[in-house]
Amino acid sequence: MKKFVLVPVVLFSVVSLIGLASAQSLKQKDMIASDLPRVAELATKTNQACGTKISFKLDYSTYADVLNDVNNQSPWAYLANATDALQKICTTAAGKQAVQAKIKSVIVSHASKEFETLTGTVFRYGVPYSGHSPATVVDWLQNHL
């Protein structure tokens, strides 16, 4: 059973960290705890840039091998790809309007290869340990919003 930890970011907006309680080691728990302020900051900046209240979630249950990440990246850095891309999209009035209308939740998880999907108002972004770029997320959003 997955447990959720909610961190308030701005009024009516929250960041969810999935799998916090299932962390396997003290090192991983410490890494997740150190992610909290960074994730909250990314969410706040993105919601301000887009004039919206998107909830951001990191699915830590998919990051079991994060401590072996060859890029030495904590999961918040993968979330940054999505928030950076959304901020870029929201620099235009049309982009901001599309994000406000079509995205209410963002879920970032580890994946064997990079992917983006939009189901309803949920944008999912899967990121492999071996490479990731906000540019691919921007391109995907520009073509699908």
Side-chain angles (χ1 to χ4, degrees):
M1 176 179 209
K2 291 183 181 176
K3 295 188 179 186
F4 297 88
V5 175
L6 301 177
V7 177
V9 177
V10 291
L11 186 62
F12 301 114
S13 180
V14 295
V15 175
S16 296
L17 300 177
I18 304 169
L20 182 62
S22 65
Q24 302 265 321
S25 68
L26 179 59
K27 187 174 181 180
Q28 191 174 26
K29 287 178 184 178
D30 288 345
M31 176 207 57
I32 292 168
S34 73
D35 278 1
L36 290 171
R38 292 179 176 127
V39 171
E41 180 182 350
L42 291 170
T44 299
K45 285 181 181 179
T46 302
N47 281 323
Q48 287 173 346
C50 295
T52 192
K53 296 170 184 145
I54 298 170
S55 70
F56 293 86
K57 299 176 177 103
L58 271 168
D59 186 351
Y60 277 99
S61 68
T62 64
Y63 286 97
D65 293 327
V66 72
L67 300 175
N68 299 322
D69 181 357
V70 295
N71 293 319
N72 198 26
Q73 295 289 324
S74 189
W76 77 266
Y78 299 106
L79 177 71
N81 286 346
T83 58
D84 289 353
L86 286 165
Q87 289 173 37
K88 172 89 170 137
I89 294 294
C90 288
T91 60
T92 67
K96 186 181 279 191
Q97 183 179 15
V99 168
Q100 289 172 346
K102 296 182 180 181
I103 299 177
K104 303 297 180 205
S105 178
V106 173
I107 301 172
V108 176
S109 60
H110 172 261
S112 58
K113 69 179 204 173
E114 190 171 28
F115 73 84
E116 298 89 358
T117 64
L118 182 61
T119 306
T121 60
V122 178
F123 175 64
R124 293 182 182 271
Y125 177 48
V127 193
Y129 293 135
S130 62
H132 40 82
S133 169
T136 59
V137 183
V138 170
D139 289 343
W140 191 93
L141 289 169
Q142 288 175 327
N143 289 318
H144 293 88
L145 290 179

